[in-house]
Amino acid sequence: MQAIQATRNTLPQSKVHLAIAEKIGNHRKEQVAEVQALIDAHRVVIVGMAQNVFPKRARRLLTAKGIQFEYLEIGSYFSGYRPRLALKMWTGWPTFPMIFVDGTLIGGASDLQKLVDSGELAKTLSAPRAG
């Protein structure tokens, strides 16, 4: 799986006042660290939320293909908004699930389906873990 460098519009550090830089850097860092630890420990990680059909679809697809994965559920439509928002800010990905393969964010359920259908996911997982 090849990562492509994409340009993402973010506020430059030079435009953040020093008095708030640490607050921004430490905002919900525990949540990000939890996801990073899962990504480091597992080849496939799904971060989702209850009551959302798309994380369920992704899990069903991987289960049907016999692919092991780790799932982290963060709240529901009624709870857990702030921890999920921190992950959206960290990744730049606007929706759930967030699916990672070998440490790379591959997108959501429909993106996973495309990788499965093309054979790219099987090819990636048949090789030793990169990086």
Side-chain angles (χ1 to χ4, degrees):
M1 204 164 294
Q2 183 175 331
I4 296 173
Q5 185 64 27
T7 302
R8 187 169 136 210
N9 190 13
T10 58
L11 187 66
Q13 284 294 115
S14 63
K15 298 296 181 183
V16 174
H17 193 279
L18 290 176
I20 66 165
E22 186 175 347
K23 183 176 183 178
I24 290 171
N26 289 327
H27 180 72
R28 298 241 178 223
K29 70 179 183 179
E30 307 82 23
Q31 191 68 55
V32 172
E34 179 181 17
V35 173
Q36 285 177 317
L38 288 174
I39 292 168
D40 290 345
H42 304 278
R43 293 199 72 181
V44 180
V45 174
I46 301 173
V47 181
M49 55 188 277
Q51 302 167 324
N52 183 323
V53 298
F54 297 103
K56 289 177 188 174
R57 283 185 191 162
R59 292 187 344 247
R60 279 195 301 254
L61 175 61
L62 292 176
T63 298
K65 296 292 183 181
I67 297 171
Q68 293 183 1
F69 62 92
E70 186 66 20
Y71 178 63
L72 175 63
E73 186 172 278
I74 304 173
S76 68
Y77 285 108
F78 305 108
S79 68
Y81 172 78
R82 290 179 186 200
R84 290 193 310 272
L85 180 58
L87 295 175
K88 288 179 179 185
M89 292 169 61
W90 173 59
T91 63
W93 188 250
T95 61
F96 285 89
M98 293 178 178
I99 304 171
F100 299 86
V101 176
D102 284 348
T104 299
L105 176 64
I106 61 105
S110 60
D111 304 291
L112 175 66
Q113 183 71 59
K114 289 175 189 172
L115 292 179
V116 167
D117 291 348
S118 71
E120 185 178 348
L121 183 65
K123 181 180 175 185
T124 297
L125 295 175
S126 68
R129 185 173 184 167

